[in-house]
Amino acid sequence: MRLLKKVSLKFHWLLMLLLMPPLLWFALPWLTPMPDLYRNYAGSQAFFAQDGELLALRPATDERYRLRLALTEMAPAVQQATLLYEDQRFYQHFGLDITALGRAFWQGVVKGGRRQGASTISMQLARLHYGLNSQTVAGKLQQIALALYLERHLSKAQILEGYLNYAPYGANVESIGAASLIYFDKAAAELSTAEALALAVIPQNPLQRNPERSRGQQQLQAARLRLLQSYQQAYPLAPTEQQRLSLPLSFNSRRDLPFVAPHFVQALARQQPAGPVYSSLDWQLQQQVSQRLQAYLRQQQRLGLNNASVLVVHRPSMQIKAYIGSADFFNASIAGQVDGTTAARSPGSALKPFVFALALQQGIIHPKSLLKDLPQRFGLFSPENFDRRFRGPITATEALVQSRNVPAVTLQAQLQQPDFYQWLSTNDVPLAQTAEHYGLALALGGMEISMQQLVSLYAMLGNQGRYQPLQWLATTANDEQYHPKADTAQLTVPSNDAGQRGLLPEAAFLTLQMLAAQPALQNERLTALATAPKVAWKTGTSYAYRDAWTLGLYGDYVLAVWLGNFDGSSNPNLIGRNVAAPLFFSLLPLLGEQQQANQQLFAQSEQLNLREVALCRQSYQLPNQFCPETETGWVIPGISPVAVSDLHRPVPVYRQSGLRACQHQPPLTELKVFEFWPSDIAALYQQAGISLRQPPAYAENCQQLAQSQAQPPQIVSPQPHLTYLPQAEQPLALQARFDGAAKQGYWFAGSRFLGAVKPGETLFWPATTGRYQLRVQDDLGNVSEIQLNVE
């Protein structure tokens, strides 16, 4: 009697199980919302290089490896093997396999034999997604109800995809995407049939079939061979193929996961959500750059150099191709986990090209403008050159290539709308202090900037002045967002407005040419690549020898190199040209053949508003009829400051006495050409022992040269537009540049006479607080004046 009651109770539960599905099947769609399988899905981040190599796989927030994929990203063999092993009638049932359930009930309950699984893929997904305990009757009923709920709302493909994204594969590894990367170092779409069979049998018993344990591999192999027999019947294989599939497999483990470009991966992880991330990084180039860097640092150990950062960017797309944040991520002694490409460091002279570019854009100079590398004072600021020498008259190109400080500061002082501070701020360079705080030291690296920001600025020079942020992800060749057209006619030309990003295309091109005037450093690897390749490059050395930089453009790439110490310690060997430039040029051959790209980089586009004109070789202005020698130079029509040179002037000289006449009176006089250099440059030539040919003295009846032939003086110090703060025992230096014909100068503050000077002399004035009309007049009657504020 008791036995009959027990059997009756069991059939009662069976009847409930049989009646519940059809009732729920029809009621659920109208009573429940569409399920969201991934609302709380904690996914891992998998980072891939541009060609699919795995850079790193990071666990999810719950410390499990779990990677969501679309069903189309999983090999067909994975789907076939999983369904064959877990749910052969998946496409025939409605979430509950009545046949399998009845068989399991009869075998395990009625006959009391070995328990058999009857859970469908849908039921397993319900258990995994909703975290159910299906070992109890209530839990099993809930699992069935939720399986029907999923089946009613989702397609079979969505359910199978969801299961494979949740299934356990041993230890803390879940999902087919994570399992394929960890155990076979390949994407799920690339799994072979043998590998698919191995992974298909793990979810049924992930603890006993864990591939990371030797016993687990043995049990996995036995289960895989059993599945192989069923697979052969469902998908007939050739005998040789079946024999090959039965061979043991080799498994990797979580300890074997790569961690390539760790700084790059960490930076990308902060930008991207969970899931596969296909980056722009070139895996092979990354490895080669890293190896070359390590070899270089080993060679330089005697100099105390043990840390460096490198960034390689593909200029047309702005995609990052190689990214080394430090020499060794795991070396605590150099603070290796600090990312040197994002660290704010002093750039030294590496920002000078953009001072010159803005000066070109604003019509202050052209590439061959004659600048003065002479001692100058800007209020209390008296810049010096790195070598503590002054080279006198020097072209703008030479001043940039030789990294002369005084010309750079002089140009920065003349920039307006935008000034250099405004331009940096507009182009995503954060400046923590006010413009007054930095002053004219910006041109010399008196601020901090990251390598990534510097590379974005340098890329402008090769991208027609366009500002573009760095790109981290791989894209298709048709993605115009990262592959902008090079047609400059369609470009937005930056104006001189303070809020406009970028540079004039013409200014960018001319700055690029100026930088390329500096010969490339030669080494064995570079010589093997090409003979004297054209490279636009610039070095930088920060104050107190804390940072050594080299940045440049070559072909389609922008390359940046930094050496230094993250703790800010000084090293007298940290000089850009001495230690960063050799590393920079040793890396260029790794970029491959760039001859055609380099030709395009340095080729002048017909759409640029540029003209090559003849310039007088001494003054680098348009030649007058008396200029003895010319050479060509680039100018921007309507912008560049070119005028007819008056350096060479004809002087009437009496044939008999050799004295200078007031006017030409042939045949008594003849015209001889002399150079009339400005006073400061003439004085420098004199200091250097260079004798300039001077015109003869005037005849007694002629006391001075006509004013119309002379240029008015130019006030050099103090600078206009600046406010000066009087300092005790530090008078204000008054300096002016006089025409070569002038012999005396007179300084005035309003109507008050301050003193007289000879050309090249400085007058020191103890200025007090006030607003002054400062005026200088030469002995030819020419006058210049400025407004001066002293606070």
Side-chain angles (χ1 to χ4, degrees), residues 37-50:
L37 291 179
Y38 303 102
R39 174 178 296 175
N40 298 314
Y41 189 86
S44 297
Q45 289 178 302
F47 301 94
F48 298 92
Q50 65 177 11

Side-chain angles (χ1 to χ4, degrees), residues 738-777:
F738 294 96
D739 185 86
K743 304 302 181 184
Q744 192 80 9
Y746 308 94
W747 286 95
F748 300 87
S751 60
R752 183 157 59 102
F753 175 66
L754 302 179
V757 294
K758 294 184 181 301
E761 292 181 346
T762 300
L763 179 66
F764 291 95
W765 171 42
T768 57
T769 301
R771 185 179 181 88
Y772 300 92
Q773 189 76 16
L774 191 64
R775 186 172 80 256
V776 62
Q777 181 174 345

